[in-house]
Amino acid sequence: MPIYAAQARIRGARGFTLLELLVVMVIIGLLAGYVGPRFFAQIGKSEVKAARAQLDGLEKALDTYRVDTGHYPSTDQGLKALNERPGNEPKWDGPYLKKAVPADPWGRPYVYRAPGEHGEYDLASYGKDGQPGGEGEAADITSW
């Protein structure tokens, strides 16, 4: 085999053409456009599930507080009463949470009112938008 034939073979296998690269980039773009929105929708659903799980844990801690003291913390005492003894609470036997009261999955504090409009207390997260009401991921997550 002459040297020129070997060099020609090497030159033919140099790389991809611009057209081939563009086709691959279009395919990758189409896949990202299809998979991306589905992936981010799952993240939103997991934040809602996490908020519901946190609300459930806070409700259990509030119920334990009530068993010990005979009442739920007031709105002024707030959820802070689950970790720190309120000044005028002799029957407090906490802390009722292992860690500090968590923020909701969007980084905002939970809304607590006692007495509540929907029961002895109202506990809620206003969702992704942080405003009362809303739909989808922006919907309120509540204890009632």
Side-chain angles (χ1 to χ4, degrees):
M1 174 187 271
I3 295 176
Y4 297 112
Q7 288 176 345
R9 189 177 300 171
I10 291 173
R11 285 188 191 141
R14 266 195 171 178
F16 299 104
T17 65
L18 181 59
L19 182 61
E20 291 170 330
L21 289 174
L22 288 174
V23 169
V24 170
M25 289 176 62
V26 167
I27 291 171
I28 291 172
L30 289 172
L31 287 173
Y34 179 74
V35 173
R38 293 179 185 270
F39 175 74
F40 289 113
Q42 293 302 319
I43 291 174
K45 288 179 185 176
S46 67
E47 289 172 332
V48 171
K49 287 180 183 179
R52 286 199 176 117
Q54 287 177 338
L55 278 179
D56 186 50
L58 291 172
E59 288 175 328
K60 289 176 183 173
L62 286 165
D63 290 341
T64 305
Y65 180 98
R66 182 175 188 245
V67 167
D68 287 348
T69 64
H71 58 85
Y72 290 107
S74 68
T75 301
D76 291 336
Q77 292 170 331
L79 296 174
K80 185 178 176 182
L82 297 174
N83 282 335
E84 298 175 14
R85 177 192 298 268
N88 57 351
E89 197 59 67
K91 295 180 183 178
W92 190 86
D93 193 28
Y96 299 97
L97 295 172
K98 291 181 181 180
K99 298 179 181 178
V101 177
D104 71 10
W106 300 277
R108 295 182 203 89
Y110 284 99
V111 178
Y112 174 77
R113 284 186 223 98
E117 297 174 15
H118 304 278
E120 294 186 69
Y121 66 86
D122 291 348
L123 184 59
S125 166
Y126 288 146
K128 186 174 184 173
D129 65 353
Q131 303 296 320
E135 296 177 7
E137 292 177 25
D140 298 349
I141 298 111
T142 62
S143 63
W144 58 88

